[in-house]
Amino acid sequence: MVAAPGPDQLSLVGMPTQLLKVTPSRLATWAGCKRRFRMTYLDRPTPPRGGPWAHSTLGAVVHAALRTFYATPPARRTASVAQAALAAAWTGEGFADAAQQAVYRARAQDWVAGYVSDHDPREVDAVGLERWVSAPVGELVVEGRVDRIDARSRGQHRPPAPDAAEVVVVDYKTGQRGLSVAAAAGSQALALYVLASRHTLRRPCSRVELHHLPTGEVHGFDHTPATLAQAVQHAQEQAQAIARATKSLVAGGDPEVLFPPRPAPSCSWCDFRRSCPEGAAASPRREPWAGLAP
C-alpha cells in the first residue's frame, strides 16, 4: 500500500509547480525495472529483500577505505595506510566462508595499494569525500552522494589555490568489467553530479572521472552545456513519468499496469526476486558470492 500524499505534496491552483526531487539511483532503478522501483521506494511495508551480495560488500569496503585514506593528511598517505584502512573496514557479508574472505580481502588490499601508488595521493586535494550535493535544475532538484570531489587546475599536477580551482567529480568502480571514456561520457549520474557539485560548492565543474580499482585505470570526460542539457532533459522525462505513475497509484490505479516488471537475466541479482514471479522465471538464482571475479 502507498499512503496518500499530504497537503504539502499537492500542487495548488495558481501556485508554482513543486520541483521533483530525484537521485541518480532512483532514476537508474526506474529505467531498469519499474516493479523494482515500486517495491524499493513506494510499497509499504517494503517487501522482504534478499541477503547481502559479496561483490557489493567488496565495493562498499573499498569505498570506505578510500574515504578514510583521503581524509588522512597528505604527508601520511602511503600504500600501507591504504591497506590498513581496507583491513579496518572489512566485513564478510555475503562471502561463502573465511577462506574466500581472505582471498578477496588480500585482493582488495592490493587494489587500494596499487591505486594510491600509481596516482600520487599527496597531490589529491579532496574537497568532498562521500559528499552530499544538491541543486535545483529545471523542474528538478537533483541530489546524491559523490565518492570524491577534487579541486584541480587544468594542466597542473599540483593542488591549485582554493579560489582558483575547478572541481572534478570522481567515481570509484570495483566491478569485473573494465571501463572506457564512453562509460564516463554516458553516465547520467555523473552528469547530474556535475550540476549538483557546481551549486553546492560554488565552483566551476565540468570534468567527471571513473576510477577502476581492479585495473587502476582512469577514464575522464569533460561535459559541455549540450551534454549536460541532454542529461537534464532525460532526467526530467523520467521524473515526470515517475510522478504520473505514482499519482495514479495513490489514486487507486493497478500497480501491475503502472509499474510492470522487466524480466531479464539481471533479475538473478535483484533483491526482490522472491517477490517477483516473472523475474524468478526469467533467470536462475545466484549464490551470494556469484558476482565476484574468479
Side-chain angles (χ1 to χ4, degrees):
M1 295 293 292
V2 180
D8 60 332
Q9 296 175 283
L10 300 176
S11 296
L12 303 178
V13 176
M15 297 294 289
T17 302
Q18 182 184 3
L19 297 178
L20 302 172
K21 184 178 293 186
V22 297
T23 64
S25 61
R26 283 184 176 238
L27 297 178
T29 302
W30 172 262
C33 177
K34 294 177 175 57
R35 175 179 285 174
R36 184 179 181 184
F37 180 93
R38 192 198 80 217
M39 291 181 173
T40 302
Y41 299 110
L42 301 178
D43 285 357
R44 296 295 179 269
T46 304
R49 295 175 180 266
W53 296 99
H55 64 278
S56 296
T57 296
L58 188 63
V61 167
V62 169
H63 279 68
L66 291 175
R67 182 188 188 284
T68 298
F69 178 80
Y70 284 107
T72 302
R76 294 170 50 196
R77 294 175 187 168
T78 64
S80 60
V81 169
Q83 290 178 315
L86 190 290
W90 184 260
T91 174
E93 293 187 345
F95 288 87
D97 50 35
Q100 189 183 66
Q101 283 192 55
V103 169
Y104 286 92
R105 182 170 59 247
R107 183 176 294 186
Q109 286 182 307
D110 288 344
W111 289 352
V112 296
Y115 173 73
V116 302
S117 296
D118 292 342
H119 308 281
D120 190 346
R122 294 168 298 179
E123 295 185 355
V124 173
D125 182 14
V127 296
L129 296 171
E130 295 187 8
R131 176 68 183 266
W132 188 264
V133 293
S134 178
V137 181
E139 301 175 1
L140 308 176
V141 174
V142 175
E143 57 186 19
R145 195 179 305 279
V146 181
D147 290 345
R148 198 175 89 210
I149 305 174
D150 290 351
R152 199 181 302 170
S153 287
R154 292 183 180 276
Q156 294 185 356
H157 298 287
R158 56 185 174 81
D163 59 354
E166 295 186 356
V167 294
V168 177
V169 171
V170 174
D171 191 36
Y172 303 129
K173 296 296 183 184
T174 59
Q176 297 184 40
R177 295 181 180 179
L179 301 172
S180 64
V181 173
S187 170
Q188 181 187 48
L190 294 183
L192 297 178
Y193 286 149
V194 163
L195 297 170
S197 296
R198 286 179 181 177
H199 182 81
T200 300
L201 300 178
R202 297 294 192 268
R203 300 271 194 95
C205 180
S206 60
R207 185 165 180 82
V208 299
E209 293 180 351
L210 293 174
H211 291 208
H212 190 235
L213 271 294
T215 61
E217 294 180 356
V218 172
H219 298 282
F221 178 75
D222 293 290
H223 275 285
T224 66
T227 60
L228 293 173
Q230 184 178 25
V232 170
Q233 180 180 357
H234 185 211
Q236 288 188 158
E237 291 169 354
Q238 289 177 294
Q240 290 164 356
I242 291 170
R244 289 193 299 268
T246 302
K247 182 177 180 181
S248 296
L249 181 65
V250 171
D254 186 346
E256 299 304 320
V257 173
L258 296 169
F259 297 87
R262 187 180 181 184
S266 58
C267 292
S268 289
W269 311 102
C270 182
D271 290 338
F272 298 108
R273 188 173 183 276
R274 70 175 74 177
S275 301
C276 180
E278 293 87 347
S283 60
R285 187 183 71 85
R286 305 283 185 179
E287 296 291 354
W289 52 87
L292 296 170

